[in-house]
Amino acid sequence: MLFNSFEYALFLPIVFILYWFVTNKNLKAQNFLLLVVSYVFYGWWDWRFLSLIAFSSLVDYIAGLKIEQSDKRSTRRLFLTISLLTNLGFLGVFKYFNFFSQSLADGFAQLGYTIHPFTLDIVLPVGISFYTFQTMSYSIDVYRKKLQPTNDIIAFFAYVSFFPQLVAGPIERATNLLPQFQKKRVFSYEEGATGMRQILWGLFKKMVIADNCAVMVDQIFENHETLPGSVLIMGSIYFALQIYGDFSGYSDIAIGTARLFGFKLMTNFRTPYFSRDVAEFWRRWHISLTTWFRDYLYIPLGGSRVNTGRAIRNTFVIFIVSGFWHGANWTFIAWGAINALYFIPLLLTGYNRKNTGAIAENQLLPSLKEILQMGLTFALTCLAWVFFRAENINVAFEYLSNIFTQPFLPENFYYFHPKYIFIIGVWLLLEWLVFRHDNAFERIHHTAPWLRRPAYFVLGSVTFLFMVNEAKSFIYFQF
Amino acid sequence: MKRFLIKCLFYTVIFIGLLSILTTAVDCGLKIVNDNLFGDWNRLLGDQIKDDIIVVGNSRAKVHFDPILIEKLTGLSCYNLGKDATDLFQQQTVINSIVESQIHPKYVVLSTDINSLPKKSEIFEKQAYLPYLNNSFISNVLEEVDQQVVYERTLPFIKYRGYPEIILKGLLRHFKKDNEYSRTKGFEPQNRIWNNDFSKFQKMMGNEKIVLSEDEVNEGFKILQHIIDVCKSKGIGVIIVQPPRYCELYEYFPQKEKIDIQIQNLSITNDIFYLDYSHSNISLDKSFFYNASHLNARGAQIFTTKLCNDLNKLPL
């Protein structure tokens, strides 16, 4: 069930009514309702996926209790290993098996041996990369004694399958989200209103920005061999905006929806394209994933508090694994490696923690220096995005080389259509003026009603006006 | 909670109300627009088409049949309502509109060939239908092709999503008259010469042929029969015409002859006229076409003249 679908428009109010009017007196009933509706939501794609998420949830629930019950380190480690192997095993089979099999065959082919890759004819379950990471964080935090495991199986299953963030994040930590299932939720008007605003903004980003940019991106990437260099550059920009609009839009809808039910999810994006360097970009982009890798992989490897060689190695490991998390394709690994190459100079020179303050704090516009920094960071990001979007490595390199080998100027301005430039311009202006503040959605509440209310109508109408005709799914569902 | 629900309801009602007003304003504006997309529909559904003959079909109808020439040579007034990329199923929207209007033509000339039979999976230039989705004789047909039409005719403004230019056009029409209509009573002559579309097609096809399934053929003929029945029930005569296409194209349609015979039999059974120009001399000469499926302006003139000569021989 897509957030931008009629089914969801019916689903959400029904669940809302049942949650606050039918089950509100009983916490267990409320959690059970969330569990049931979350399974309905997830099963809407394919009911067969439910068995996987249920099994993963059960394994981690039991593992958490067993880890807590034992004092012996080896036993605790054993149950942690079972949890990790189960979740990584699911990922390995459903997501990466065919990639490894094909890569092995290709590797042998390079050496002159022909082997036929054994591939599995299976569908990638939606959201598997998200909920497996969420449940693994639970097991690891229990093992590290950062969290008490729960013996409330309903609350735990509901935490794993919580529908707003199930299929595309944010990847919630059990320390943040699970306790919210264990205490009574009270409806707050401010939270509800803020949630609705955030949903509206998320829908705008997804349906207007991302889906319209997608039309251009598809055409440009499909015809990259013949298009001029300026159009190819524009293609990478469109894709940067598409993926941001799509993913951050989804996150906003997820966080806004959770607010309607009295839950606070973590922020997943902080206007990353206004970053002054790549390190700052990675503190603002897909925050739930980057912090997950930081806490569960980077820091255990020693982080940056090791010698230079290891620090570089750890950085490469994190970015490549992060790339690989996105998909079973060498392009994602390349994307990760490129970002590692961007990051390492900053790390080695200590500049990775330079830009940690707010951008243009208390100022309407950034300084010239900040504009140049943001421009450069954005350009580097767009270059890397070409690998993320391309079908394979060869296409990515071809795309980039065509920027310089093809004639630069376009014959017509079809790919620079005023409609797209206008939408993107207005959106970036709003992002800068309003949404670069962490509490933007709350701040809007304090704006004058004569300004605020027509703005909601205009935003809603513009979303209707400019949305493309077919409800497009979210890019991150494929991960 | 109460305050939240009341506010949600308030905003929803206001939003839907304002969108409904906007939809009505856009609908009304588009219904008086006179351009190539909306002009012909508006005339048809506004009972402004009072011609003796109406040509119905796909793009071949639109570019092959010259209504001014037909009027000149037969003495019968004519209007061309050919619509690009439509099959017989979607052409029912035009037939239904003709039948529902106050003024009926004497004859419908139905431009039909093998490509008219299979049902397409999408609606080309759907924008043209949008102001008229409340007309059930149009939406009932379109719903079977695109199920979103069900939502689009019920919920306000949804149908105009993704068409900001159309919305603007509809709104501005209330303030400024337009006249961007460049056709001649629906006819759009193509002043073009033979291009390389056919060679691209041949390269793409290789040795493959275009074969329709039995279901596609049966469904197509069912709809054709239905169209004939509907027209006859209102006293409208039907003349089926198969316009010419470039002869080399027919090699890719191994079922053509069989289907032509079926059309012939259908017309005999229904006691209607069937004129087949697919093997006329016109189809042998590339200079009359701009691609293998469509006549250019010169070819259309020659074809229409030939058609009129044959129409004059019929007891119309």
Side-chain angles (χ1 to χ4, degrees):
Chain A
M1 204 187 294
L2 296 174
F3 279 164
N4 53 327
S5 68
F6 290 117
E7 292 86 0
Y8 188 72
L10 289 174
F11 172 86
L12 186 61
I14 292 171
V15 173
F16 182 85
I17 300 290
L18 289 172
Y19 183 84
W20 289 114
F21 290 94
V22 175
T23 58
N24 58 316
K25 297 268 190 295
N26 185 317
L27 180 63
K28 270 196 158 35
Q30 225 179 25
N31 286 341
F32 185 71
L33 173 71
L34 283 179
L35 173 62
V36 168
V37 301
S38 297
Y39 272 50
V40 166
F41 178 86
Y42 191 58
W44 206 268
W45 271 281
D46 192 328
W47 60 268
R48 295 170 297 178
F49 295 164
L50 293 174
S51 56
L52 278 175
I53 191 173
F55 185 73
S56 171
S57 302
L58 187 65
V59 165
D60 289 294
Y61 171 75
I62 294 170
L65 290 172
K66 292 292 185 193
I67 290 169
E68 177 67 11
Q69 281 163 14
S70 174
D71 292 323
K72 278 174 72 177
R73 198 165 176 231
S74 56
T75 312
R76 292 164 62 82
R77 269 210 153 155
L78 172 68
F79 284 106
L80 175 64
T81 306
I82 290 170
S83 163
L84 297 181
L85 283 179
T86 305
N87 288 296
L88 293 172
F90 281 155
L91 279 178
V93 168
F94 287 94
K95 195 166 173 179
Y96 299 110
F97 184 89
N98 290 345
F99 168 77
F100 284 122
S101 179
Q102 186 62 53
S103 297
L104 193 67
D106 292 342
F108 273 101
Q110 293 291 324
L111 298 170
Y113 298 101
T114 309
I115 61 167
H116 295 290
F118 175 71
T119 53
L120 301 172
D121 185 20
I122 42 175
V123 175
L124 175 66
V126 175
I128 191 170
S129 304
F130 291 89
Y131 70 73
T132 49
F133 270 46
Q134 190 154 308
T135 51
M136 282 197 290
S137 85
Y138 170 78
S139 310
I140 296 169
D141 283 350
V142 170
Y143 176 81
R144 287 177 175 177
K145 298 189 180 180
K146 283 175 77 176
L147 177 73
Q148 283 285 107
T150 181
N151 52 17
D152 184 345
I153 193 168
I154 300 292
F156 183 76
F157 270 56
Y159 146 75
V160 174
S161 63
F162 188 41
F163 74 91
Q165 45 90 235
L166 172 58
V167 293
I171 301 171
E172 278 292 333
R173 303 298 179 86
T175 46
N176 177 49
L177 187 56
L178 189 55
Q180 296 186 62
F181 279 90
Q182 292 163 328
K183 65 172 193 250
K184 189 174 165 60
R185 274 86 60 180
V186 178
F187 182 79
S188 145
Y189 172 83
E190 279 71 31
E191 279 298 298
T194 302
M196 293 297 286
R197 271 181 227 114
Q198 201 159 2
I199 291 170
L200 180 62
W201 184 238
L203 285 171
F204 173 79
K205 283 199 282 187
K206 164 59 183 166
M207 291 158 83
V208 178
I209 305 300
D211 288 353
N212 278 288
C213 286
V215 171
M216 285 287 150
V217 167
D218 290 347
Q219 288 180 33
I220 293 171
F221 272 78
E222 216 171 281
N223 300 295
H224 69 272
E225 297 110 324
T226 55
L227 289 171
S230 54
V231 173
L232 297 178
I233 291 174
M234 201 63 204
S236 68
I237 294 172
Y238 280 134
F239 182 68
L241 300 174
Q242 177 197 350
I243 196 164
Y244 174 55
D246 193 285
F247 198 14
S248 69
Y250 181 93
S251 293
D252 279 326
I253 298 169
I255 296 166
T257 303
R259 281 181 135 131
L260 292 178
F261 295 93
F263 288 89
K264 273 193 159 65
L265 300 184
M266 66 183 293
T267 302
N268 214 10
F269 292 87
R270 283 201 168 92
T271 53
Y273 290 145
F274 297 143
S275 300
R276 291 157 290 191
D277 57 56
V278 170
E280 187 179 19
F281 176 83
W282 284 104
R283 286 193 296 275
R284 291 170 169 271
W285 178 274
H286 201 176
I287 297 166
S288 63
L289 181 71
T290 52
T291 52
W292 196 102
F293 277 123
R294 180 198 64 199
D295 294 342
Y296 298 112
L297 192 57
Y298 188 65
I299 289 173
L301 285 174
S304 55
R305 294 171 199 262
V306 289
N307 62 46
T308 306
R310 282 204 169 164
I312 293 172
R313 179 205 68 181
N314 293 345
T315 305
F316 263 106
V317 165
I318 287 303
F319 277 103
I320 286 172
V321 170
S322 173
F324 199 46
W325 176 90
H326 284 83
N329 193 323
W330 288 105
T331 51
F332 296 113
I333 294 171
W335 171 77
I338 290 168
N339 276 284
L341 289 171
Y342 291 158
F343 189 87
I344 283 166
L346 295 171
L347 178 70
L348 296 178
T349 53
Y351 273 82
N352 59 312
R353 303 297 301 179
K354 186 167 185 266
N355 291 311
T356 53
I359 306 165
E361 193 166 12
N362 299 322
Q363 287 175 294
L364 189 61
L365 295 172
S367 65
L368 181 61
K369 183 184 172 193
E370 282 174 331
I371 291 171
L372 291 171
Q373 286 173 324
M374 287 192 272
L376 178 62
T377 308
F378 184 68
L380 291 172
T381 311
C382 287
L383 190 150
W385 281 134
V386 171
F387 285 84
F388 197 92
R389 175 57 177 78
E391 214 175 283
N392 57 55
I393 293 279
N394 291 335
V395 168
F397 278 116
E398 206 176 83
Y399 188 101
L400 290 170
S401 75
N402 283 349
I403 292 173
F404 302 101
T405 56
Q406 298 279 79
F408 190 73
L409 294 174
E411 284 173 5
N412 59 57
F413 290 92
Y414 171 75
Y415 293 105
F416 299 87
H417 199 286
K419 170 178 128 177
Y420 293 97
I421 307 299
F422 175 74
I423 298 169
I424 290 164
V426 168
W427 172 51
L428 286 174
L429 195 65
L430 283 172
E431 282 264 301
W432 176 258
L433 291 174
V434 183
F435 296 100
R436 66 189 164 111
H437 303 285
D438 283 346
N439 60 346
F441 295 104
E442 287 90 5
R443 278 163 66 123
I444 291 165
H445 180 60
H446 301 292
T447 323
W450 64 265
L451 184 62
R452 197 171 75 230
R453 287 167 188 167
Y456 297 152
F457 175 73
V458 168
L459 196 66
S461 305
V462 167
T463 304
F464 262 70
L465 210 76
F466 284 97
M467 69 178 177
V468 296
N469 281 295
E470 282 175 39
K472 287 187 181 293
S473 102
F474 292 82
I475 293 177
Y476 267 70
F477 281 8
Q478 65 188 296
F479 308 138
Chain B
M1 172 64 82
K2 197 173 167 187
R3 186 180 159 209
F4 178 77
L5 290 174
I6 290 170
K7 275 249 168 106
C8 282
L9 195 64
F10 171 76
Y11 277 117
T12 307
V13 166
I14 297 290
F15 192 62
I16 291 174
L18 287 169
L19 286 182
S20 302
I21 294 168
L22 202 58
T23 308
T24 308
V26 173
D27 281 349
C28 292
L30 291 175
K31 283 178 181 177
I32 54 176
V33 157
N34 185 27
D35 67 4
N36 288 351
L37 188 60
F38 295 101
D40 292 322
W41 264 125
N42 290 340
R43 272 183 277 282
L44 175 64
L45 288 156
D47 292 332
Q48 290 167 38
I49 294 178
K50 300 170 187 172
D51 297 81
D52 299 316
I53 295 176
I54 293 181
V55 177
V56 177
N58 54 21
S59 54
R60 276 183 283 291
K62 193 178 88 178
V63 308
H64 289 194
F65 295 77
D66 183 347
I68 302 297
L69 197 52
I70 291 172
E71 282 173 25
K72 191 177 162 190
L73 297 178
T74 64
L76 295 168
S77 60
C78 178
Y79 205 101
N80 186 329
L81 286 175
K83 272 189 78 48
D84 286 344
T86 51
D87 50 82
L88 277 170
F89 186 83
Q90 288 184 39
Q91 284 159 27
Q92 287 180 108
T93 55
V94 181
I95 297 290
N96 291 347
S97 302
I98 291 170
V99 158
E100 287 294 323
S101 76
Q102 302 288 337
I103 304 158
H104 296 151
K106 288 184 186 153
Y107 296 97
V108 159
V109 167
L110 195 58
S111 171
T112 302
D113 51 53
I114 186 173
N115 284 100
S116 307
L117 297 177
K119 196 169 158 189
K120 292 193 194 300
S121 57
E122 47 185 43
I123 304 167
F124 183 72
E125 283 185 346
K126 188 175 169 186
Q127 310 91 294
Y129 299 101
L130 296 181
Y132 296 105
L133 282 190
N134 286 338
N135 297 51
S136 57
F137 52 85
I138 291 174
S139 57
N140 285 348
V141 173
L142 298 179
E143 271 166 32
E144 285 203 39
V145 181
D146 178 357
Q147 287 176 5
Q148 298 218 357
V149 169
V150 176
Y151 301 119
E152 286 166 352
R153 64 176 169 81
T154 327
L155 300 172
F157 213 62
I158 282 268
K159 61 185 176 181
Y160 289 118
R161 71 193 186 288
Y163 298 121
E165 319 86 24
I166 302 284
I167 295 164
L168 210 59
K169 180 176 275 225
L171 291 173
L172 288 177
R173 181 61 186 83
H174 292 290
F175 305 104
K176 192 179 121 183
K177 210 171 172 182
D178 72 306
N179 195 4
E180 293 167 15
Y181 188 76
S182 63
R183 295 179 185 165
T184 312
K185 295 187 89 177
F187 173 55
E188 202 166 338
Q190 300 294 306
N191 292 309
R192 296 152 81 170
I193 57 172
W194 184 263
N195 60 28
N196 61 354
D197 281 354
F198 188 51
S199 26
K200 283 185 199 168
F201 172 77
Q202 285 173 307
K203 207 173 167 184
M204 183 187 76
M205 291 298 293
N207 292 326
E208 279 183 44
K209 309 289 179 199
I210 298 170
V211 175
L212 304 184
S213 69
E214 204 178 310
D215 282 344
E216 279 176 322
V217 173
N218 291 340
E219 262 312 300
F221 274 99
K222 232 174 165 176
I223 294 162
L224 183 55
Q225 181 63 59
H226 176 74
I227 288 173
I228 294 167
D229 291 339
V230 160
C231 288
K232 274 183 156 183
S233 71
K234 295 288 179 181
I236 302 170
V238 176
I239 304 169
I240 300 177
V241 173
Q242 184 169 176
R245 292 200 275 177
Y246 183 58
C247 56
E248 283 181 34
L249 182 63
Y250 299 144
E251 290 165 23
Y252 294 92
F253 294 93
Q255 298 160 302
K256 184 190 175 312
E257 298 306 324
K258 184 179 157 203
I259 281 168
D260 288 351
I261 292 168
Q262 265 184 278
I263 298 176
Q264 174 90 28
N265 291 338
L266 185 85
S267 52
I268 292 169
T269 308
N270 287 278
D271 192 27
I272 61 173
F273 301 113
Y274 172 47
L275 301 170
D276 182 359
Y277 297 92
S278 60
H279 293 294
S280 70
N281 290 341
I282 297 170
S283 67
L284 301 173
D285 191 342
K286 239 185 228 184
S287 69
F288 294 141
F289 294 87
Y290 70 86
N291 66 28
S293 280
H294 298 89
L295 294 167
N296 55 29
R298 184 165 157 251
Q301 193 182 39
I302 290 167
F303 161 67
T304 307
T305 307
K306 211 174 168 64
L307 171 70
C308 291
N309 288 340
D310 291 331
L311 285 176
N312 283 336
K313 290 173 191 165
L314 298 176
L316 296 180

